[in-house]
Structure formats: structure tokens, C-alpha cells
Amino acid sequence: MNFESKVVHAGDRKRRKGAFVPSTTPIHLGTTYFYESAATLDRVLGHEEEGFCYVRYNNPTNEALEELVTTLEGGYGSLATSSGMAGLQIAFQAALTDRPHTILASDSIYGATVSLLDQIMSPFGVKVKYVNMCDLAAVEKAISEVKPGCIFTESVSNPLLRVGRLDKIAEMSRAAGASLVVDSTFATPILVRPLDLGAHIVVHSATKYLAGHGDVLGGVVVSGDEEHHQAVRSIARINGPLLGPFESYLTMRGIKTLAVRFERQCRNAKALAEWLSQHPCVERVYYCADPQHPDAEAIAHCFTPGLFGAILSFEIKNADKARVLAFMDRLQMIVPGTSLGDVHTLLLYPLIASHRTISPKMRERMGLRENLVRVAAGIEHLEDIKADLDQALRAPANTLG
Ligand SMILES: Cc1ncc(COP(=O)(O)O)c(C=O)c1O
């Protein structure tokens, strides 16, 4: 099946028997499962027979969503989690099972992930080191110095859209015996498939493109092999940060239109990036289709040909924080918010949102300037998005030339 068909069909009508087999998976709210004989329950609890026992171990709605995302990423198995961050924490813990408690992370990642590493993992004895994942020589050197048990990167970084050679990083990671965990939230399995490039675990904030409509908080952890999947599930079986069945249902419903949504969002983003790069109020545009992009080679290697993602960032000429906030207040249709991946275009100011908790020193290292905003293109008509940005940029306070 092709991707466009898998998003519509995978996960549904699985393992269902009897007179009523819904064509799409419904919401199963039951917490506990009943069997005619205690012996059957014993076998199911003992993993000798397939079945459901208790919602923290799994339920049919989550299982269908997990099967769907596993299929899309080409993985071994998945876990649907209560948020993307919960998924990342489980992925790190699973990656470090039986491996040295050191994480080598990209220095260009989502702010809350830096907080997870520095404020949650680190106090529990996990050493965290940061490196520029787009500099392969630096990655190789860091691996030989810190001997990590886990290497972590985003397939497309937030918000400056840096892209590393995942295949090369995976090679180095495997040679060093480390697990490679990739946050592929920005990319979706349409743009990049990290497991195909050698990663061990892929994490998505399902809150974004997978669910896609601004009404779900969730995550998915996809493992490429049995060892990592079992480690992920064993942790979740105990601490249970699972996605609720209602959210699983909504995410699955969202994914059915992922291919059509994302392709249009990519088209809108590309056109916006081209238009903004000629705009008199814009200093610089960051977008993966830019031939001058510092990671053009990695993009050509890792991305699906012809697509460059649905996110772009740009710096507003002569804007300080007050001017950026005023620009956001002038937006009429575009939603100024702290998310991405929805059907409506979202504009985020990293300084006050995704990277608020990052120290100024780390922000400088990441190259995040005070005048940078990030746009996650929606599916609206391109001319409406342009018109809204244009009027907000051209208002007297910003037309400084
Ligand atoms: C790249 C990336 N990863 C992970 C997350 C965390 O996702 P969630 O909010 O679902 O926990 C976000 C949220 O913005 C994100 O942008």
C-alpha cells in the first residue's frame, strides 16, 4: 500500500471478530477486560495469549493508533503517550536501559526538551552533553569523548530548521553501541523516516501534525526493533503515561488526512518563504528549500524529494521584543500561539514560548535572535496568509526600512 492509503486504513478492523466490526476504530473506554474463564485471564496476563486486561497495559483504541503509526514509520512497535514530552522521557529511559547513562544531544532542539534533559534526567545521574549534530566531525569527537548510551536529535530542528545527516549519525551511534532517538515532530513520516535511516526510536508530539486540528495533547514513541519496544512498553506498563482513548481516536481520525494536509502545508510554506525573502520588512528567512541552506546536502539526502517541510522562520527587520509582540497583535487570521502542525496557520515567538526557559547563553549558542518568529503554515488559501502577514509587517511601527 502507498502512504496515502496506509494513513486511511492501517490500524482499523484489526483483531476484530463478531457481528459488529466498525469500519473505523471506536473509542473504547473500558478500563478492565472480562473473560469467561479465569484461566484465559491468567494466560492473557501472562502474555501467553493475546488480549486486553487493564487499560494501563493497553486498550483497543490505543492499539489501533499504535499500529497505524508503526506502519507509517516502518517500525517494530509503538506506544501512544499522554504528550510528546512524556514520550521523549520514556524514549530516553528505554534507550539508556543497559547502556551508559550519558546522553549526547543536539544543541538545537525544542526548549522543553532541554529542560527535560537538564532538569529531570540530569538530577537523576544522567550526564548530558550538547553538540552541533550538523557537524559530523564534532559528533564523532563527542562520541569518543563522552561515550554516550543515547544520542538525541530532531530530524528538523526547532526553530532554525537545521538538518543533520541522520544516516551518518545512526552509523556512528551503532558503532558506539548507543541508541539513536530522533524527535521527528516537525517532519512527520511523510518528510523523513528516521528508522529507515538507522535510528532506533522515533518520537512524535502527536499534538502537532499527526492529530493536526489543535484539539489533542499526545505523543507516539515508535521503536525500530523488539529490544527498544519492549523497554518502552515495560516502563509504560509501570508508570502509565498513556494517551487516553478519546485522544487516540481523535489522533487516528486526524492521521487519515495527514497526507493531504501536510502536502498542502508544505506548498504554502515554500511559497511563503519565497515571498517573505523579498519582503522589505524581513531581514532573513529560514526554510529548508533555500539553496543556500547550510544543511542542503543533508536535506537532499534525508527528505522525501520535492518536499521541504511546512515550517519556516524569519527575522523581522529592526524588531526588538516589543515590536515583535505588536506585530503578533496585529495578526487577523493567523493564530499567534505556542504550537504547530494545525490546519490553521500558527505563528510562534520562540523567545516567549518554545525557548522561554532556555538561558540567554544557550539561546545565543543556538543562534536565536530577538527578532525571530516561526510560522507553521496551515491549509488556508495562500493569499490570505500572505495578506495577513503583510498587513502586520507593514504597519507603521515596522516599516523602518
Ligand atoms: C519538536 C517538539 N518536540 C516535542 C514537543 C512536545 O510535545 P507535547 O507538547 O505534545 O508534549 C514539541 C512541542 O511543541 C515540539 O515542538
Side-chain angles (χ1 to χ4, degrees), residues 83-85 88 110 113 154 158 183 185-186 205 207-208 217-218 338 340:
S83 69
M85 295 313 299
L88 278 170
Y110 176 46
T113 310
E154 293 175 0
N158 179 8
D183 179 337
T185 299
F186 273 35
S205 164
T207 317
K208 311 300 188 304
L217 175 69
T338 58
L340 63 118

Side-chain angles (χ1 to χ4, degrees), residues 220-234:
V220 185
V221 182
V222 193
S223 299
D225 57 63
E226 186 177 4
E227 179 218 318
H228 286 87
H229 182 58
Q230 291 311 340
V232 164
R233 285 224 85 98
S234 308

Side-chain angles (χ1 to χ4, degrees), residues 31-192:
T31 59
T32 313
Y33 289 81
F34 169 78
Y35 292 94
E36 289 291 348
S37 81
T40 310
L41 178 62
D42 181 31
R43 283 196 300 280
V44 175
L45 278 165
H47 307 291
E48 292 154 33
E49 190 172 318
E50 279 203 353
F52 298 97
C53 308
Y54 182 58
V55 64
R56 202 175 71 240
Y57 307 155
N58 213 355
N59 79 69
T61 315
N62 285 33
E63 189 187 73
L65 169 66
E66 289 161 357
E67 159 117 16
L68 170 58
V69 183
T70 301
T71 306
L72 300 183
E73 286 290 1
Y76 175 86
S78 295
L79 173 79
T81 54
S82 55
S83 69
M85 295 313 299
L88 278 170
Q89 182 167 356
I90 289 191
F92 292 144
Q93 287 173 320
L96 294 182
T97 308
D98 300 329
R99 287 189 182 80
H101 284 188
T102 300
I103 299 178
L104 181 65
S106 160
D107 62 4
S108 185
I109 51 175
Y110 176 46
T113 310
V114 176
S115 304
L116 169 63
L117 291 169
D118 291 350
Q119 295 170 33
I120 298 183
M121 303 300 289
S122 196
F124 279 88
V126 174
K127 284 195 206 110
V128 181
K129 293 276 174 210
Y130 294 96
V131 69
N132 176 359
M133 287 288 169
C134 299
D135 179 347
L136 291 176
V139 177
E140 192 169 21
K141 186 163 173 274
I143 290 175
S144 73
E145 278 168 11
V146 305
K147 308 209 173 357
C150 169
I151 297 180
F152 172 72
T153 191
E154 293 175 0
S155 50
V156 182
S157 84
N158 179 8
L160 292 179
L161 313 173
R162 297 299 308 266
V163 179
R165 279 289 299 257
L166 277 186
D167 56 324
K168 301 271 185 212
I169 299 168
E171 240 173 61
M172 288 190 243
S173 176
R174 283 173 187 267
S179 295
L180 176 61
V181 177
V182 177
D183 179 337
S184 209
T185 299
F186 273 35
T188 83
I190 298 176
L191 194 62
V192 180

